[in-house]
């Protein structure tokens, strides 16, 4: 078993809260739907993009990293 | 308190190896337990990093937190998991798997006293652009292991359920495609 898996299992044993779920591999129709959506792209308005950018800049300016 | 007041009063702070949040209540026992007791263990084992949105003048005043980890979305060239497992047992290095780099929001909580002030959406905006602009290694998707009751919040912020396998579970996996934010 790889080191990461061992550490993750150990962490699951010692932690109390629900462990963070692993992202599953997609098969069949789920995989096809995912790839189709990757090609399509969702339309995001200029206003929403501007808001995202503004929120990012405001928060990054005072971040400690 | 409006957006601008919150942004002026609070800052994002990345928790260090030996730093632990002493007090936080978002109204959910499991999420509280994570930030108070588990977050530093994930950090210590280098599995995830936790960020808090805290008052600039009072580090005990935490408005929200989120925890980030490396992730990937993998697609198998098989109809079912059983067929994939059968194939990978036969071949030592199966190539019929595509993976896309992602960053996962493992846990995300807003303090009960700060709910309804759009802090959640402001922080989601930050996370999206953080991986779009400050990306050092390549990251196509933001994934999230969302509590079932928080799914509408993520959908409103452009996230899509990965599949329907976890529709009746306590948490659901959703994703956001960062390419959607690019201008074409």
């Amino acid at each position: 078993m790889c080191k990461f898996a061992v550490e993750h299992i150990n962490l699951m044993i010692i932690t109390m809260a629900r462990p963070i779920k692993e992202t599953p591999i997609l098969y069949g129709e789920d995989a096809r739907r995912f790839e189709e959506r990757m090609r399509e792209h969702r339309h995001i308005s200029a206003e929403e993009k501007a808001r995202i950018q503004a929120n990012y800049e405001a928060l990054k300016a005072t971040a400690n990293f | 308190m409006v957006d601008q007041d919150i942004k002026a009063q609070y800052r994002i702070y990345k928790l260090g190896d030996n730093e632990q949040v002493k007090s936080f209540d978002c109204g959910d026992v499991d999420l509280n337990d994570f930030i108070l007791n588990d977050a530093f263990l994930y950090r210590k084992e280098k599995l995830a990093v936790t960020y808090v949105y805290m008052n600039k003048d009072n580090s005990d005043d935490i408005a929200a937190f989120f925890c980030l980890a490396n992730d990937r979305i993998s697609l198998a060239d098989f109809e079912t998991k059983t067929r994939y497992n059968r194939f990978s047992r036969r071949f030592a290095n199966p190539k019929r798997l595509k993976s896309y780099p992602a960053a996962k929001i493992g846990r995300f909580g807003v303090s009960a006293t700060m709910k309804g002030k759009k802090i959640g959406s402001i922080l989601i905006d930050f996370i999206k652009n953080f991986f779009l602009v400050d990306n050092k290694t390549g990251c196509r998707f933001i994934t999230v292991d969302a509590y079932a009751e928080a799914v509408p919040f993520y959908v409103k912020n452009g996230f899509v359920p990965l599949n329907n396998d976890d529709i009746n579970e306590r948490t659901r996996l959703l994703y956001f495609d960062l390419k959607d934010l690019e201008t074409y």
Side-chain angles (χ1 to χ4, degrees), chain A:
Chain A
M1 199 182 296
C2 74
K3 190 168 176 274
F4 174 81
V6 171
E7 281 174 356
H8 193 68
I9 288 166
N10 288 340
L11 199 65
M12 284 172 70
I13 293 165
I14 56 176
T15 57
M16 297 286 286
R18 182 178 291 107
I20 297 168
K21 199 193 284 178
E22 288 286 320
T23 302
I25 296 171
L26 298 179
Y27 302 91
E29 192 53 41
D30 288 338
R32 281 191 287 277
R33 198 180 302 121
F34 181 86
E35 284 200 304
E36 197 181 315
R37 199 191 171 281
M38 269 182 81
R39 285 190 293 271
E40 277 175 4
H41 294 295
R42 184 176 75 99
H43 174 72
I44 296 180
S45 67
E47 290 78 21
E48 189 177 346
K49 285 178 187 172
R51 187 205 69 213
I52 290 170
Q53 179 72 19
N55 281 335
Y56 168 75
E57 284 172 6
L59 269 58
K60 186 74 176 81
T62 56
N64 71 328
F65 50 93

Side-chain angles (χ1 to χ4, degrees), chain B residues 116-149:
Chain B
K117 293 174 179 165
K118 295 184 178 174
I119 288 179
S121 292
I122 291 170
L123 292 174
I124 288 288
D125 284 351
F126 174 83
I127 294 167
K128 286 174 183 172
N129 236 39
F130 182 46
F131 285 99
L132 193 69
V133 176
D134 265 355
N135 191 359
K136 292 179 176 64
T137 58
C139 176
R140 173 71 188 258
F141 300 100
I142 303 292
T143 59
V144 60
D145 183 23
Y147 281 50
E149 53 271 27

